[in-house]
Amino acid sequence: MPQEFRCDCPFTSALDILGDKWMLVIVKQMLLEGKETFKDFTESDEAIATNILSTKLKLLEELGIIVKTQRPNNKKTNLYLLTDKGLALTPILVELATWSDKYLRDIHPTIVNGEGVQLLRHDKSAFAGMMLHKYREKLDKVM
Amino acid sequence: MPQEFRCDCPFTSALDILGDKWMLVIVKQMLLEGKETFKDFTESDEAIATNILSTKLKLLEELGIIVKTQRPNNKKTNLYLLTDKGLALTPILVELATWSDKYLRDIHPTIVNGEGVQLLRHDKSAFAGMMLHKYREKLDKVM
DNA sequence: TCAAATCGCTTGCAAATCGCAAGTTATTCA
DNA sequence: TGAATAACTTGCGATTTGCAAGCGATTTGA
C-alpha cells in the first residue's frame, strides 16, 4: 500500500506518516530503550498488540525508517534497526518530551523525572547527541 | 472525558495527546496560516470533517492548548486562539517539517518548497521565532 | 534425535474511531 | 422579517484498533 498524503504541506505530510499513537513510540523504544526484536517490543510497558506491531514495523521498513536484519548465526530472531532516516527523528522526540516535561505534569503528575529528564531539561542537544552516540555504538557492534 | 495516559514516559505521554492525524495540523493552521474560526478550518486544503473538528477543538481547549473567545461585538463567530501551552508546540512542528523536507521528498515530490521552507532549512530558530512573533502580534490586535 | 519451548508472526472478531452527508440552532445582515 | 451564515450535532457506513487465539519455523535441552 503506497503511502497517501493529504496535501503538499511539509508539516501535514510528516503527520500523515508519524501522526498516530505508535510509530514514534516504536522509534523511541529502539533509540532510548534498546529494543530490537519483535519480542522486545511486545514486552514493554506500553504493550503494543502483536498485529499492530507487525503492521507498523512493516510500514516503518517500507518507509526506510528501519531495516530488518538477522544476526549471523540465528535464523529465528529478526533484528529491527534504525536507519539514518529513523535516527533523524530524534529531534522530534526530544521536542515532544520537552513539551511533556513542561506542560503535562499538571494533568499527569506521575511522568518520570529521573536523570534522563534532568539532562533533557538542562541541555536538549546534549541529550540528543548522547542518545545518537549510544545508538551508533550499538549499531557498530551488531553489524 | 479525562485524558488517559498509557504510562509514565514523557515521550509516550506527548503522543497520547498529540499522536493523531489532526491535533498538530490544527495547531499548525492556527500558527502558520492564521486560522481562527470554525469556518476557517473547514475551508482549508486539508479538509477536516466538521464533527472531528468540533471534537478536537473541544479537546484542545480542555487541555489548555487553545482558548475559545469571541470578538466584542459578534456573538456568532467563535475565535480559537493558541495559549502559551499551544505556542510551545512550535519546536515540534519545526522539527516535523525539517524531517519532511529532508527525508520525504523522494516519496512525495510535490511537497512545497517556497520561501518559508527555505528559511526553515537555513535557520530553524529564525523560522520559529518569526512565526511566534507574528502570532503574538496578532493576539495583541485581537484581544 | 526428538519433544518442548521460543520467536515472529497471522487470523478472527468485537469495539472504538473516522469521516461523509444531512440536519439543527443561533445570530446577523439586508 | 426572511435569507444567509456560523457553529455545531446526528446518523450511519467504513475503516482502524486491539484482544485472544493459533500457527509454522527455528532452536534448545534431555
Side-chain angles (χ1 to χ4, degrees), chain A residues 61-101:
Chain A
E61 198 191 354
E62 265 176 43
L63 290 165
I65 291 171
I66 65 175
V67 282
K68 185 174 174 176
T69 359
Q70 312 232 121
R71 271 186 244 269
N73 49 2
N74 185 333
K75 292 192 173 179
K76 189 173 160 187
T77 306
N78 294 325
L79 285 187
Y80 298 93
L81 298 172
L82 291 166
T83 60
D84 283 339
K85 185 171 177 177
L87 288 171
L89 295 168
T90 308
I92 299 172
L93 290 174
V94 164
E95 294 301 340
L96 283 169
T98 301
W99 185 79
S100 283
D101 178 44

Side-chain angles (χ1 to χ4, degrees), chain B residues 31-134:
Chain B
L31 182 66
L32 277 81
E33 297 165 14
K35 299 199 189 297
E36 52 187 19
T37 68
F38 196 92
K39 190 152 186 288
D40 286 344
F41 293 110
T42 62
E43 281 170 349
S44 85
D45 271 13
E46 287 136 358
I48 184 168
T50 57
N51 55 344
I52 296 170
L53 178 58
S54 173
T55 306
K56 297 299 178 185
L57 287 173
K58 225 165 276 170
L59 182 55
L60 285 166
E61 198 190 355
E62 266 175 44
L63 291 165
I65 291 171
I66 64 174
V67 283
K68 184 174 175 176
T69 358
Q70 312 232 123
R71 272 185 243 270
N73 49 2
N74 183 334
K75 291 193 173 179
K76 189 174 162 187
T77 307
N78 294 325
L79 286 186
Y80 298 94
L81 299 171
L82 290 165
T83 61
D84 284 339
K85 185 171 177 177
L87 288 172
L89 295 168
T90 308
I92 299 173
L93 290 175
V94 165
E95 295 301 341
L96 283 168
T98 301
W99 185 80
S100 283
D101 178 43
K102 192 158 176 194
Y103 292 99
L104 246 40
R105 291 195 182 279
D106 53 343
I107 57 168
H108 183 23
T110 56
I111 285 184
V112 294
N113 200 0
E115 247 183 274
V117 180
Q118 310 282 337
L119 176 57
L120 177 71
R121 193 150 51 212
H122 175 262
D123 187 345
K124 245 188 253 191
S125 73
F127 179 88
M130 193 172 145
M131 290 302 133
L132 286 168
H133 181 71
K134 265 180 51 185

Side-chain angles (χ1 to χ4, degrees), chain A residues 30-34 87 126-141:
Chain A
M30 297 175 80
L31 183 66
L32 277 82
E33 297 165 14
L87 288 171
F127 179 88
M130 193 173 146
M131 289 303 132
L132 286 169
H133 181 70
K134 265 180 50 186
Y135 197 84
R136 292 221 161 86
E137 266 184 357
K138 169 218 188 97
L139 282 184
D140 286 343
K141 269 182 222 162

